[in-house]
Amino acid sequence: MPSTSARALSLLSMLTTGATLGGEELARRLGTSRRTVRRDVETLRELGYAVEPVTGAGGGYRLGPGGALPPLVLDEEQVVAVVVALQTTSSVLRGIEDANRRALATVRQVMPRRLRRDADAFTVTAVPNQWEFPAPPPPADVVRTVGGAVRRRELLRVPGPERSPLLEPHHLVVWAARWYLLAWDRTGEDWVVLRLGEDTALEPTGVPFRERPLPEGGPGALVQGTADRGDRLAPWPCTGSAVLDLPAELVARFAPGGAVVRRVDGCRCELSMGAWSWIGLAGLFTTFGSPMTQVQPVQLRDACATAAGHLSAAAHD
């Protein structure tokens, strides 16, 4: 059976998630009795941790605010999560590379030797895909400014004329290594999605707003289904466009990173994207299974004819 100190640290690690855990559940996970759990809870309280009892249905224990600062208590899976996250954040956020390195060194220094070996096994180098993500990751200051307004529920102003638009920032969404802000536009009275990047200029106002219910599907679905979200065409060697007989919202959800979708009408949209070769680009367009018109440039039209010949021959083989 683990020692009292080892059990207390394990118990503290479980409670730091913020969830309320029942005595029976804690006893099962610690491999001990509920009476021992109560003693370990008292041990933590004596050490200055605010472990609160929760009564009623679903009651148990939770770690309340205040009290002593918990030590770094990580299991093997948490070590992997922390180490990998710190090493890969720079591929989706710019300007925190030095902070990442220092944080990783600090975390590693306080790890037990056994967990340090696990951490060292996950030393990686994250290289952003320059083709798929044409714009560099947003600066940390941009995300900090916008994220702070989201957390505080304060309006953001879009710089411009005297009556510049006001946005209610509701959520930050990271999709395919791209950062988006989901906001309610008070001027247009509709939900908007903004891609965060180097040129993002949103000014905090300090004016609070009330949170409003999101459309069905939540923030992720809303971002994926929005065509006009500020995406940029990636600088592939071969780029082209075509009008598809599909709604812009549907194509936006499945278009590859670095593609741009423009609404033509309620049933059609223009899709622009790129690839390493013209025949490869033609193949990407065929994956949408839609009739295509206004195909540009001529090299893409020629590649579509070549692909059609290959597919026809394969169909009659």
Side-chain angles (χ1 to χ4, degrees), residues 15 17 50 97 109 139 157 176 178 207 216 221 229 243 248 266 295 302 310:
L15 294 175
T17 62
E97 293 81 4
Q109 188 174 15
R157 186 184 305 277
R178 293 165 289 182
V207 178
E216 185 178 357
R229 56 189 175 217
V243 172
V295 179
D302 293 341
H310 293 334

Side-chain angles (χ1 to χ4, degrees), residues 81-116:
V82 170
V83 169
V84 172
L86 286 173
Q87 293 179 94
T88 57
T89 303
S90 59
S91 65
V92 295
L93 190 62
R94 190 160 50 89
I96 60 171
E97 293 81 4
D98 182 62
N100 278 354
R101 286 190 293 269
R102 290 186 286 109
L104 184 60
T106 300
V107 170
R108 187 180 182 279
Q109 188 174 15
V110 298
M111 287 178 185
R113 184 174 301 174
R114 174 180 60 84
L115 295 184
R116 194 177 304 165

Side-chain angles (χ1 to χ4, degrees), residues 126-202:
V127 180
N129 187 334
Q130 62 172 321
W131 303 111
E132 191 171 5
F133 312 122
D141 288 345
V142 169
V143 176
R144 184 180 297 111
T145 298
V146 176
V150 171
R151 179 178 56 82
R152 295 188 300 270
R153 291 292 185 260
E154 293 177 354
L155 294 175
L156 289 170
R157 186 184 305 277
V158 180
E162 184 178 348
R163 294 180 59 82
S164 55
L166 288 174
L167 302 179
E168 299 176 1
H170 281 263
H171 285 274
L172 281 177
V173 177
V174 179
W175 178 39
R178 293 165 289 182
W179 290 75
Y180 297 95
L181 169 65
L182 174 60
W184 176 264
D185 183 355
R186 286 194 168 185
T187 303
E189 295 188 345
D190 197 6
W191 291 102
V192 294
V193 175
L194 303 178
R195 171 84 176 271
L196 300 186
E198 179 71 36
D199 55 352
T200 298
L202 296 173

